[in-house]
């Protein structure tokens, strides 16, 4: 939000799954605009709620909150809000799309998070049983003083976040891949 970098320093800039952690998208985008030279490009890969998100739907709200809390995000904005913030910051939008939308036989991005035994040991540890075993093991380590206090709680928070990422993706209300590309005006 406040980089210690002189204005007009870079030919281009990018952020991958990072600016979603800023409390204000216009503010973080303006800061990126400030450090890029006139005519320079900025590309963002943003975590967002999609146009299918309904803030009045209790399930949608639960999913959004679970992702926010589990992934340290102050507020998930919609793709439309991100696009408008990008424009408001001063960028000339060249391209925007949700890269998470798959066509044909492409494997959706969230499949590795679903927890499937056929995906090997990591797949198993992402299943409900695997997460339970992990939580108990982490709790044991915490009680022995090997892991710091709060580790088991954090494990549970991350588990809930994982479940909400998958559920949000399956409902089409969340994307971790909203791509924005813009240019700083020459003037």
């Amino acid at each position: 939000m406040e980089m210690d970098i002189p204005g007009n320093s870079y030919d281009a800039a990018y952020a991958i799954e990072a600016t979603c952690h800023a409390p204000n998208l216009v503010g973080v985008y303006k800061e990126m605009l400030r450090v890029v030279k006139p005519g320079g490009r900025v590309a963002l890969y943003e975590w967002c709620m999609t146009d299918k998100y309904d803030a009045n739907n209790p399930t949608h709200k639960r999913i959004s909150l679970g992702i926010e809390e589990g992934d340290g995000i102050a507020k998930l904005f919609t793709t439309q809000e991100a696009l408008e913030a990008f424009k408001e910051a001063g960028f000339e939008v060249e391209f925007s799309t949700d890269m998470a939308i798959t066509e044909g036989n492409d494997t959706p991005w969230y499949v590795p998070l679903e927890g499937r035994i056929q995906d090997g040991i990591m797949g198993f540890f992402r299943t409900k049983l695997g997460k339970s075993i992990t939580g108990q093991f982490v709790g044991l380590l915490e009680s022995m003083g090997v892991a710091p206090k709060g580790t088991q709680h954090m494990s549970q928070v991350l588990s809930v976040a994982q479940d909400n990422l998958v559920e949000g993706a399956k409902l089409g209300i969340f994307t971790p891949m909203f791509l924005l590309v813009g240019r700083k005006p020459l003037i």
Side-chain angles (χ1 to χ4, degrees), residues 19-185:
T19 52
C20 60
H21 296 281
N24 177 295
L25 289 181
V26 174
V28 73
Y29 294 167
K30 279 185 175 182
E31 186 65 0
M32 293 181 81
L33 183 79
R34 183 186 69 76
V35 300
V36 173
K37 295 175 185 175
R41 282 197 171 110
V42 169
L44 303 168
Y45 215 45
E46 195 73 82
W47 280 32
C48 293
M49 302 311 288
T50 71
D51 293 340
K52 293 181 181 180
Y53 175 73
D54 177 0
N56 296 315
N57 181 316
T59 300
H60 291 195
K61 285 171 45 174
R62 174 187 53 76
I63 291 168
S64 179
L65 184 62
I67 294 169
E68 290 166 348
E69 288 179 350
D71 292 293
I73 298 170
K75 180 189 183 319
L76 279 168
F77 297 94
T78 65
T79 53
Q80 188 61 38
E81 289 170 323
L83 179 60
E84 291 304 317
F86 200 57
K87 291 176 186 176
E88 187 179 331
F91 286 102
E92 296 171 352
V93 179
E94 294 184 332
F95 184 75
S96 68
T97 191
D98 183 354
M99 299 294 291
I101 297 172
T102 59
E103 302 290 330
N105 293 327
D106 292 342
T107 302
W109 66 268
Y110 58 84
V111 168
L113 294 178
E114 282 185 296
R116 304 177 324 163
I117 293 174
Q118 66 264 34
D119 291 337
I121 192 75
M122 289 308 298
F124 169 74
F125 280 110
R126 290 184 180 120
T127 65
K128 189 173 185 172
L129 175 61
K131 289 190 287 187
S132 175
I133 291 168
T134 300
Q136 291 173 20
F137 181 69
V138 169
L140 176 65
L141 293 175
E142 189 175 322
S143 69
M144 294 170 47
V146 175
K149 278 189 168 283
T151 302
Q152 185 176 32
H153 175 71
M154 195 66 237
S155 175
Q156 292 166 344
V157 168
L158 291 171
S159 177
V160 169
Q162 172 191 340
D163 293 341
N164 284 292
L165 288 168
V166 172
E167 188 177 2
K170 286 183 173 182
L171 291 175
I173 64 169
F174 170 75
T175 179
M177 300 179 199
F178 184 57
L179 177 63
L180 283 164
V181 179
R183 186 179 294 276
K184 182 175 183 173

